[in-house]
Amino acid sequence: MEKREQLYEGKAKKVYATDDPELLIVSYKDDATAFNGQKRGTIVGKGVINNRMSNMLMQMLEKAGIPTHYVEEINERDTIVKKVSIVPLEVIIRNIAAGSFSKRYGVEEGVVFDTPTIEFSYKSDALDDPLMNSYHAIAMKLATPEEIETIKKYAFAVNEQLKAFWKEAGVTLVDFKLEFGRLSDGTIVLADEISPDTCRFWDSETGEKLDKDRFRRDMGGVEDAYAEIMKRLSEHL
Ligand code: ADP
Ligand code: UDP
């Protein structure tokens, strides 16, 4: 399968058409952005790691009964995926307070929740991805009530699978962002990516950050952190 026209260039990936109208090729870049594109940089090797990690994790989730867009990895940066119409919501699951949750509610980073939380942000760069509840999403016809229920069910199931996997690898899954989409028949599937760009990973022993926070917060050791989290994945598959 080959790339045809480029349909979209995002902050972290390019999306190409293929000869099959139901399939796309996503190509992972080393470009990194944060704070809605205000901070820009390059993380050398990131695209290769995010492509591999996302594909490995999505295959694991498929085995656990969660439908995803993953079809086939064709080289170290490019993957064939099922084309979806993206539900314009960022679905965020949290196990531990961090990032915008800590800032918004004045809760120290690292506070462990008894039960995971879910929240939605409206995917809109122009509006800076505002927080949105499910009633707002339904009122704006971004998703139906049934789709919201399906998305919530899958998002919590993804959390249980990933949390257990990463625990074995000595990594605490703090929080993460998912995107879902509709196939041409309306079926909801997990799309986009699952990677150190979209998850917070803390070393279970040392608490060391092994994710994009090292870039966001100018902590240094960004490439090493991506390599380390990829190594943990490979060793524990
Ligand atoms: P952004 O758009 O936020 O800059 P990316 O650089 O990751 O993000 O671009 C990838 C784009 O492709 C995103 O807009 C994402 O919603 C979209 N996308 C991810 N998976 C699929 C899919 N299976 N079908 C269609 N679009 C997808
Ligand atoms: N996240 C993401 N894309 C976004 C916003 C958040 O992938 O546009 C991820 C982020 O990596 C973290 C989780 O979602 O794992 C929660 O992020 P948070 O709301 O704390 O926002 P941030 O601290 O990134 O502003």
Side-chain angles (χ1 to χ4, degrees):
M1 176 140 308
E2 282 172 34
K3 289 176 189 163
R4 297 300 175 201
E5 74 273 22
Q6 183 178 304
L7 299 176
Y8 178 77
E9 174 160 10
K11 297 186 285 287
K13 302 190 283 302
K14 294 181 184 178
V15 181
Y16 297 88
T18 68
D19 291 334
D20 184 332
E22 307 272 340
L23 299 177
L24 300 173
I25 293 175
V26 294
S27 185
Y28 285 74
K29 307 190 288 181
D30 286 351
D31 300 355
T33 64
F35 314 117
N36 195 15
Q38 288 175 59
K39 181 181 170 73
R40 288 164 188 276
T42 301
I43 301 173
V44 177
K46 170 173 88 78
V48 173
I49 288 172
N50 287 8
N51 183 41
R52 202 84 244 279
M53 182 178 294
S54 192
N55 293 341
M56 295 290 106
L57 295 176
M58 289 217 188
Q59 287 175 79
M60 182 190 305
L61 294 171
E62 285 276 356
K63 282 192 193 131
I66 298 153
T68 79
H69 72 165
Y70 175 77
V71 176
E72 190 190 350
E73 187 171 302
I74 48 177
N75 63 51
E76 61 177 13
R77 287 184 186 267
D78 298 339
T79 294
I80 302 171
V81 299
K82 294 175 188 164
K83 180 180 186 167
V84 300
S85 146
I86 291 282
V87 175
L89 294 171
E90 297 201 332
V91 180
I92 294 170
I93 297 278
R94 301 178 190 271
N95 297 304
I96 297 178
S100 71
F101 185 98
S102 292
K103 193 159 179 246
R104 178 176 303 117
Y105 303 118
V107 177
E108 202 184 332
E109 280 207 331
V111 172
V112 181
F113 304 144
D114 290 342
T115 307
T117 68
I118 190 165
E119 75 209 39
F120 302 110
S121 293
Y122 179 32
K123 257 178 77 73
S124 163
D125 285 340
L127 298 173
D128 212 358
D129 298 347
L131 192 63
M132 174 174 270
N133 73 32
S134 57
Y135 291 88
H136 299 154
I138 292 163
M140 287 174 64
K141 298 198 176 357
L142 305 181
T144 66
E146 294 73 26
E147 286 174 336
I148 294 282
E149 283 315 304
T150 303
I151 287 169
K152 279 191 193 163
K153 180 183 76 178
Y154 288 157
F156 283 121
V158 168
N159 187 41
E160 291 311 311
Q161 292 297 321
L162 294 186
K163 223 172 26 176
F165 169 79
W166 284 112
K167 190 175 177 193
E168 289 291 308
V171 172
T172 303
L173 179 63
V174 175
D175 58 29
F176 56 93
K177 182 267 299 178
L178 301 175
E179 293 183 26
F180 292 87
R182 302 175 191 93
L183 300 177
S184 55
D185 69 358
T187 309
I188 294 280
V189 302
L190 180 62
D192 203 49
E193 68 177 276
I194 307 175
S195 73
D197 277 15
T198 64
C199 303
R200 285 195 169 93
F201 296 123
W202 293 353
D203 183 289
S204 306
E205 297 263 300
T206 65
E208 191 190 353
K209 296 188 199 311
L210 300 173
D211 58 57
K212 200 168 119 180
D213 270 348
R214 300 197 78 88
F215 169 80
R216 292 190 190 98
R217 302 178 186 190
D218 296 317
M219 296 169 75
V222 184
E223 277 89 358
D224 287 348
Y226 276 67
E228 176 62 25
I229 194 76
M230 187 62 214
K231 180 163 162 269
R232 301 284 185 94
L233 172 77
S234 309
E235 285 171 356
H236 290 272
L237 272 177

